[in-house]
Amino acid sequence: MTTLLDTVVPARAPWSAVVHEGEVLTIVDLGGNQAVDFLVFDALDTSLRYSAPDTIQGQDSVFLTTGSILRDCEYGPLMTVVADEVGRHDTLGGACSKESNTLRYGHHTFAQHACVENFLAEGGRYGLGKRDLVSNINWYMNVPVDPDGALGIVDGISAAGLSLSLRAERDVLVMVSNCPQINNPCNGFDPTPVRMVVAR
């Protein structure tokens, strides 16, 4: 494959790119145990965006791994996970925000940077706003589901250098927040950089 883009996203930072049909985006967890919040839109019609319910229904699982198809709000395929060295990724935990941090961890956290702010800053470059932010994927984040339906955010199951790869099924706009969360174990309480590689 020919590498078209290879960049390191700093800890806590946003990133975005248009990935064209047939190209493969690989996300590398450089330090290990780093959550990568992820949204994907049809690049030509951003009203067609990732849908957690349609993706979950289509594969009968709340976790993503090799073979999972990320579906839009009309059930169309956006991207397919073609390789995964971790084995399980979260669709339920959502993106941290100033509001959710305050609710979960106390008012002293309100000033902390969060994923929603990253998505808003990056989305603004494409004319996207808060109404365009849907439930996101959390690559590498470990959110087990207990038999009673309870969720938890616990230590990740990734390690330094592990990766996953997604093939674009059409031209897509990918937005990432390299999660800045420091109040729960999703980043091992120490956010680290990730590497993004696009190849054809």
Side-chain angles (χ1 to χ4, degrees), residues 50-58 75 135:
Y50 170 73
S51 167
D54 291 303
T55 298
I56 291 167
Q57 183 187 50
Y75 217 71
S135 297

Side-chain angles (χ1 to χ4, degrees), residues 42-109:
D42 184 305
L44 300 178
D45 180 0
T46 55
S47 70
L48 299 173
R49 69 275 308 265
Y50 170 73
S51 167
D54 291 303
T55 298
I56 291 167
Q57 183 187 50
Q59 65 172 9
D60 292 325
S61 174
V62 297
F63 299 118
L64 301 174
T65 188
T66 305
S68 295
I69 299 171
L70 311 186
R71 297 190 178 276
D72 68 24
C73 48
E74 294 185 355
Y75 217 71
L78 290 162
M79 304 186 87
T80 301
V81 182
V82 294
D84 176 17
E85 296 181 327
V86 177
R88 192 180 80 198
H89 304 268
D90 169 62
T91 60
L92 302 175
C96 60
S97 66
K98 292 182 177 184
E99 294 80 9
S100 66
N101 281 345
T102 299
L103 178 66
R104 289 174 171 169
Y105 310 114
H107 288 284
H108 67 283
T109 66

Side-chain angles (χ1 to χ4, degrees), residues 20-31:
H20 296 281
E21 182 177 353
E23 294 176 355
V24 174
L25 168 65
T26 298
I27 306 172
V28 185
D29 186 3
L30 293 175

Side-chain angles (χ1 to χ4, degrees), residues 5-6 8-9 12 33 40 56 63 69-70 74 85 89 105 122 154 169 173 177 179 188-189 192 200:
L5 182 152
D6 188 340
V8 172
V9 182
R12 302 179 173 87
N33 204 20
V40 57
I56 291 167
F63 299 118
I69 299 171
L70 311 186
E74 294 185 355
E85 296 181 327
H89 304 268
Y105 310 114
E122 200 66 15
V154 299
E169 304 300 345
L173 168 63
S177 171
C179 184
F189 301 101
T192 54
R200 177 176 285 282

Side-chain angles (χ1 to χ4, degrees), residues 121-139:
E122 200 66 15
R125 299 175 53 207
Y126 305 93
L128 301 174
K130 200 157 194 175
R131 290 175 183 265
D132 299 297
L133 301 188
V134 294
S135 297
N136 59 285
I137 295 165
N138 294 305
W139 300 118

